[in-house]
Amino acid sequence: MKKVDKKELLKLGKKHRKWLEETTVNLNAYKIGSHLFYLVHYESKFSTKVKANAVISPDSDDREEALQSIKPHIYFVISCNNLRESGSKRANLDYAVWEKIRNYLKQIVESNVLDGMNKIIYQRSLTIMQSMIDLQLDMIQLWENYTTLKEQVDQKGFFTDEEVEKVLDYVAKGNLIQYKQFRDRYDNCRDFDVIYENRDHPQIKLFEKNVDHMVLKGMTSDAAEQQLKDALDRLTKNRYFGNMNETEIYDELRKTYQEGLALRVQQTKDMLRYP
């Protein structure tokens, strides 16, 4: 299917514009059967506030299909925006400091200088740091998958229910990855209080060249606990997932996210000018 010319789309969108309004057309259409439907926003010339919305099509006058396209448009566009903004930031996070801490802990654990409770604390922290690094690699792969999908959609000029499902999945998986990165780290945050306190112990000091003490201090509960809690609260909307398994947590994160999208769908419909 041939992409629709931008000028033609803008011309169609401007038909429903009012005085002193700017017209913005989402250049990726939602495809129903063989028909393409585009979402249009009308903004005041003097602000970026959206005053009204419309759904246009160069090849269909079917009002029911036009209305049907609003939900996938909102789901797809907002999810892509979230992935572009927050997903890109997460995927490009410099996690070299995590690797330094991981290596520091690994060398201490493997040196067999620890005993009793200290050994448990160091091994647990090592496991958590390794998990955070592995999960970050998953985040990078997720971002690459999204980038490939978005490039394909931009090239053909439209998306379908399959692509909507994929971007919803990417958002939920990205949130799940972050949740898993932070949950164990938060629950065991005080382990690094011990690790920091032990930094000058003669048997531990041997490894100090492998990590900056200020980095270790930044991992202690005083420095990191509240930040981790805030991050978890944002991801979970202040809910505690308790003993849920990974699938259940994914479902809850996705459900909460889609509840927010559903509100945006209704808001868009409430401001619909055409059809």
Side-chain angles (χ1 to χ4, degrees):
M1 180 175 285
K2 186 178 179 181
K3 289 177 67 173
V4 181
D5 182 74
K6 294 180 183 179
K7 291 182 179 179
E8 180 183 348
L9 287 176
L10 192 58
K11 184 178 179 181
L12 283 172
K14 285 181 177 179
K15 286 183 179 181
H16 312 290
R17 179 182 62 175
K18 292 187 176 181
W19 180 249
L20 296 178
E21 286 184 348
E22 297 286 355
T23 305
T24 303
V25 182
N26 180 1
L27 296 179
N28 286 324
Y30 174 62
K31 185 172 180 285
I32 303 178
S34 60
H35 298 151
L36 299 177
F37 294 88
Y38 295 83
L39 185 63
V40 185
H41 300 298
Y42 300 101
E43 301 174 355
S44 167
K45 282 183 176 289
F46 307 108
S47 73
T48 58
K49 182 179 179 181
V50 175
K51 297 180 66 177
N53 305 293
V55 178
I56 60 173
S57 175
D59 54 22
S60 175
D61 294 320
D62 190 315
R63 184 173 188 275
E64 290 305 314
E65 285 190 345
L67 295 176
Q68 181 185 333
S69 75
I70 294 175
K71 178 179 175 180
H73 261 295
I74 295 300
Y75 278 38
F76 186 78
V77 171
I78 291 179
S79 295
C80 286
N81 287 342
N82 287 339
L83 288 163
R84 185 184 68 247
E85 294 169 9
S86 62
S88 174
K89 184 177 180 180
R90 297 174 195 171
N92 290 292
L93 178 71
D94 184 2
Y95 61 96
V97 66
W98 294 356
E99 293 179 320
K100 288 183 179 180
I101 296 169
R102 186 270 315 273
N103 293 341
Y104 171 76
L105 296 172
K106 185 177 180 181
Q107 289 175 338
I108 293 173
V109 168
E110 292 179 348
S111 70
N112 293 317
V113 299
L114 303 170
D115 55 26
M117 184 57 67
N118 272 342
K119 188 171 184 178
I120 293 173
I121 288 173
Y122 277 78
Q123 181 60 64
R124 182 166 58 214
S125 295
L126 172 58
T127 300
I128 290 172
M129 294 307 302
Q130 184 61 58
S131 176
M132 290 177 69
I133 292 167
D134 293 341
L135 287 165
Q136 188 60 26
L137 297 178
D138 291 342
M139 184 71 82
I140 293 170
Q141 183 60 58
L142 185 149
W143 170 249
E144 291 175 354
N145 292 344
Y146 163 71
T147 301
T148 299
L149 178 145
K150 189 60 167 60
E151 288 174 351
Q152 292 171 347
V153 168
D154 290 343
Q155 185 174 9
K156 63 184 181 179
F158 65 85
F159 60 92
T160 63
D161 289 333
E162 182 180 0
E163 280 99 8
V164 174
E165 170 61 29
K166 285 182 178 179
V167 293
L168 291 172
D169 178 57
Y170 292 157
V171 171
K173 280 183 177 175
N175 288 339
L176 177 62
I177 288 171
Q178 280 214 306
Y179 177 83
K180 290 166 65 178
Q181 283 179 319
F182 297 149
R183 181 78 262 174
D184 284 346
R185 172 80 179 93
Y186 174 71
D187 290 343
N188 299 282
C189 192
R190 296 185 185 277
D191 283 356
F192 268 93
D193 296 350
V194 176
I195 292 170
Y196 180 67
E197 289 170 4
N198 286 349
R199 69 192 185 282
D200 289 327
H201 187 284
Q203 291 178 303
I204 301 297
K205 195 173 177 62
L206 296 171
F207 304 97
E208 69 176 353
K209 64 180 181 299
N210 298 313
V211 70
D212 190 325
H213 285 175
M214 293 305 295
V215 170
L216 293 181
K217 186 175 183 180
M219 299 289 285
T220 61
S221 60
D222 283 347
E225 188 171 24
Q226 189 59 49
Q227 292 180 9
L228 290 166
K229 183 181 185 303
D230 292 344
L232 286 167
D233 287 345
R234 284 194 299 272
L235 287 168
T236 64
K237 306 302 181 186
N238 297 304
R239 289 175 300 156
Y240 179 60
F241 292 154
N243 295 319
M244 289 184 187
N245 60 39
E246 187 169 312
T247 300
E248 291 170 333
I249 295 171
Y250 169 91
D251 289 342
E252 284 297 312
L253 290 170
R254 178 158 169 165
K255 176 184 174 183
T256 301
Y257 176 66
Q258 290 189 210
E259 286 172 352
L261 291 178
L263 291 176
R264 291 292 298 272
V265 171
Q266 189 56 53
Q267 290 170 357
T268 302
K269 289 181 176 180
D270 291 342
M271 298 172 65
L272 194 63
R273 182 176 291 168
Y274 179 86

